[in-house]
């Protein structure tokens, strides 16, 4: 499909209203093989597949890390998470991004965009202890979003309430909220004592305060009237996104839409429950597909779809058991969520970060189809700066590469080298992947996850990505020179070169 509409250069010369809207659909824990457009056969994802059929489907695109907080950190700052030691955050952690520094939404605001984030946050909030009964800040508004409607941390972490801009939605001030990640507070039942109240049994870590029949990580007291109902997520978040699109359709707008799905707890609405034949994890995939379809439909209804650049992707690779007994493994049958790659969420192997990624933009894509360009989500920052012709400050998004060419053309090249973050660092180029030896202590909860090959080894690992893309044979011993060069390169990047 060629581009018959105004070219990017023409658009730059015309008014802001001509700038394309940008929508990022950021699914949680969706694996490379978890869409029917990426090989899934057990159930279908028609809405996402329609995007893939119309735009560019990437086969070597990567979240910048194998877990959520670091991936999101890099997406919004254009910097590697290790530079700020960004790791999975507790639900009461302070905001991990410095709000006095440049961010992706601030950059787009500079370009004249209206900006919003709707969905899962998990980047921390506040600057120390958070009092959820007072305005909660700094947060997304201070980072450059004009509007935010959030799940503050994750679905499996307290507080289980929505935060709209600075305020908890529906809070009764006579029943103030308190959150603790240290000790039990309040009189809500907990998973360890009242398993009969649970929709899904959970591991010890996920067995604290029970809300809506789901035990969570952490304890919460008060805030009863503000509690979310997990089954309502698809409607609540989709409607907020639709409202934002309706209100912003006359301006260029940026919508960051990070899903809760298909993260745990997986408790999809009855519209989807039981529909995938793969249990709640498959049903959550269907729910995510439906939400995507609704939002894309709204873009079309408002007449802005053709002038919207949509990026659809995932924050890290797939995981089956992530704390709740939802039969993800037992019911997946022959479905391969990693799409043939080794590892999954948390892992240094490819399936940790190699995720589905689709870009559509009818007015701007020069050539659609499959692209094997090597792309990291960290590159979204500079590529969108280039798309919107926005100057960057010195030191802004230092680790991001302008890959706008590859966002608009399936035949264009991507990166020549790329970093992958997990609990260790890996470096890729066209031929090789090198995984640095891990000299830390594997967190106990991860070490106990025997179903996931985390890839953490005390020796160097080297794979030939051309002949062995599934990383079966470690050939580090045979190529000491390549190992030493890649280790050197990794060190240079770590030092900021
Ligand atoms: C882990 C949780 C896991 C999940 C993950 C965050 C335990 C044992 N495991 O610590 O269930 O919540 O954090 O997932 O607590 S992520 O996709 O947001 O990174
Ligand atoms: Ca995730």
């Amino acid at each position: 499909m060629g581009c018959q509409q105004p070219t990017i250069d023409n658009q730059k010369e015309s008014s802001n209203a001509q700038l394309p809207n940008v929508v990022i659909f950021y699914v949680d824990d969706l694996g490379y093989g978890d869409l029917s457009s990426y090989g899934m056969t057990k159930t279908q994802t028609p809405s996402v597949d329609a995007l893939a059929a119309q735009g560019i489907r990437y086969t070597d695109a990567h979240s910048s890390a194998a877990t959520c907080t670091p991936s999101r950190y890099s997406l919004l700052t254009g910097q590697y998470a290790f530079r700020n030691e960004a790791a999975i955050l507790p639900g009461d952690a302070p905001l991990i991004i410095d709000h006095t520094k440049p961010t992706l939404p601030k950059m787009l605001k500079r370009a004249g965009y209206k900006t919003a984030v709707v969905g899962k946050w998990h980047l921390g909030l506040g600057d120390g202890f958070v009092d959820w009964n007072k305005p909660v800040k700094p947060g997304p508004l201070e980072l450059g979003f004009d509007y935010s409607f959030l799940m503050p941390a994750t679905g499996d972490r307290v507080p289980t309430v929505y935060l709209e801009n600075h305020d908890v939605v529906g809070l009764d001030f006579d029943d103030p909220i308190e959150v603790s990640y240290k000790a039990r507070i309040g009189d809500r039942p907990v998973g360890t004592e009242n398993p009969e109240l649970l929709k899904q049994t959970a591991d010890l870590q996920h067995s604290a305060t029970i809300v809506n029949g789901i035990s969570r990580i952490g304890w919460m007291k008060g805030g009863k009237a503000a509690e979310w109902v997990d089954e309502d997520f698809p409607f609540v978040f989709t409607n907020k996104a639709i409202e934002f699109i309706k209100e912003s359709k006359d301006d260029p707008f940026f919508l960051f839409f990070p899903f809760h799905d298909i993260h745990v707890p997986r408790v999809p609405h009855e519209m989807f429950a039981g529909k995938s034949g793969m249990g709640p994890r498959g049903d959550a995939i269907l729910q995510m597909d439906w939400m995507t379809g609704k939002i894309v439909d709204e873009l079309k209804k408002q007449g802005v779809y053709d002038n919207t650049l949509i990026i659809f992707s995932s924050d890290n690779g797939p995981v089956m058991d992530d704390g709740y007994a939802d039969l993800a493994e037992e019911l997946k049958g022959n479905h391969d969520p990693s799409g043939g790659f080794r590892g999954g969420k948390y892992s240094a192997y490819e399936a940790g970060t190699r995720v589905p990624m689709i870009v559509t933009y009818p007015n701007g894509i020069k050539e659609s189809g499959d692209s094997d360009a090597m792309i990291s989500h960290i590159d979204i920052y500079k590529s969108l700066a280039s798309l919107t012709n926005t100057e960057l400050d010195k030191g802004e998004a230092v680790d991001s590469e302008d890959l706008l060419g590859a966002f608009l053309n399936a035949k264009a090249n991507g990166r020549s080298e790329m970093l992958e973050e997990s609990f260790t660092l890996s470096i890729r180029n066209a031929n090789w992947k090198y995984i640095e030896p891990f000299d830390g202590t594997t967190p106990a909860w991860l070490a106990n996850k025997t179903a996931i090959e985390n890839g953490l080894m005390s020796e160097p690992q080297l794979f030939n990505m051309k002949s062995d893309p599934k990383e079966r044979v470690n050939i580090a011993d045979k190529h000491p020179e390549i190992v030493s060069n890649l280790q050197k390169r990794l060190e240079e990047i770590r030092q900021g070169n």
Side-chain angles (χ1 to χ4, degrees), residues 69-243:
T69 303
S71 282
R72 285 153 211 257
Y73 179 88
S74 295
L75 175 67
L76 295 183
T77 63
Q79 297 203 23
Y80 292 123
F82 70 77
R83 301 209 190 283
N84 193 21
E85 289 174 20
I88 300 173
L89 291 177
D92 61 351
L95 181 63
I96 195 168
I97 299 176
D98 183 342
H99 66 92
T100 65
K101 298 265 168 66
T103 64
L104 175 66
K106 281 190 205 170
M107 181 273 287
L108 289 173
K109 256 172 91 93
R110 240 166 34 230
Y113 280 66
K114 241 176 110 173
T115 56
V117 52
V118 175
K120 167 179 165 172
W121 184 239
H122 208 189
L123 286 163
L125 290 159
D127 50 14
F129 171 79
V130 173
D131 182 343
W132 298 93
N133 309 288
K134 299 206 173 117
V136 176
K137 59 185 172 183
L141 300 195
E142 289 67 28
L143 294 182
F145 287 105
D146 295 313
Y147 174 73
S148 73
F149 185 91
L150 306 180
M151 158 185 282
T154 61
D156 55 350
R157 285 173 174 78
V158 297
T160 52
V161 297
Y162 301 112
L163 190 75
E164 188 166 34
N165 298 324
H166 291 137
D167 304 309
V168 171
V169 178
L171 182 64
D172 169 2
F173 290 100
D174 292 333
D175 181 29
I177 299 189
E178 261 179 69
V179 162
S180 168
Y181 276 77
K182 291 206 178 67
R184 185 171 177 179
I185 50 169
D187 51 13
R188 277 192 184 78
V190 291
T192 39
E193 288 175 10
N194 291 96
E196 77 287 355
L197 299 177
L198 299 177
K199 293 174 187 171
Q200 292 172 0
T201 55
D203 64 16
L204 187 61
Q205 195 69 27
H206 292 81
S207 287
T209 297
I210 300 176
V211 177
N212 186 34
I214 308 278
S215 50
R216 318 275 168 167
I217 307 177
W219 292 271
M220 176 168 132
K221 178 182 171 185
K224 194 84 196 142
E227 281 176 3
W228 70 44
V229 176
D230 306 67
E231 289 83 346
D232 293 342
F233 288 160
F235 311 106
V236 172
F237 291 120
T238 304
N239 289 340
K240 290 291 173 190
I242 287 176
E243 274 172 35

Side-chain angles (χ1 to χ4, degrees), residues 28-29 66-70 72 88 120 122 154 156-157 203 205-206 217 263-264 315-316 322-324 345-346 445 449:
D28 205 328
D29 300 356
T67 53
C68 164
T69 303
R72 285 153 211 257
I88 300 173
K120 167 179 165 172
H122 208 189
T154 61
D156 55 350
R157 285 173 174 78
D203 64 16
Q205 195 69 27
H206 292 81
I217 307 177
H263 197 280
V264 296
D315 71 336
N316 52 250
D322 209 10
Y324 297 90
K345 180 177 181 178
Y346 309 117
W445 61 267
K449 272 193 183 295

Side-chain angles (χ1 to χ4, degrees), residues 30-46 48-49 52 57-59 278 281 285 312 332-341 355-358 370:
L30 187 78
Y32 187 82
D34 276 328
L35 296 169
S36 35
S37 36
Y38 277 79
M40 179 174 69
T41 52
K42 282 210 66 141
T43 190
Q44 300 296 308
T45 48
V48 179
D49 295 354
R57 190 190 76 113
Y58 298 86
T59 56
M278 289 195 285
R281 185 174 184 278
I285 293 177
F312 174 96
K332 78 177 173 25
N334 61 4
H335 173 57
D336 176 9
S338 298
F341 292 103
V355 285
M357 176 162 143
I358 296 163
D370 280 3

Side-chain angles (χ1 to χ4, degrees), residues 255-320:
L255 170 63
F256 178 41
F257 191 77
F259 291 78
H260 156 70
D261 290 316
I262 57 172
H263 197 280
V264 296
R266 304 173 184 122
V267 275
H269 186 263
E270 62 180 10
M271 256 170 78
F272 310 98
K275 298 286 158 61
S276 69
M278 289 195 285
R281 185 174 184 278
D283 302 341
I285 293 177
L286 298 184
Q287 178 165 289
M288 171 283 294
D289 185 68
W290 178 87
M291 293 167 76
T292 306
K294 282 279 168 207
I295 295 171
V296 170
D297 283 351
E298 190 63 33
L299 295 170
K300 291 182 177 164
K301 209 164 119 190
Q302 298 302 333
V304 297
Y305 173 77
D306 285 353
N307 199 38
T308 299
L309 181 126
I310 296 177
I311 301 171
F312 174 96
S313 201
S314 170
D315 71 336
N316 52 250
V319 58
M320 299 296 107

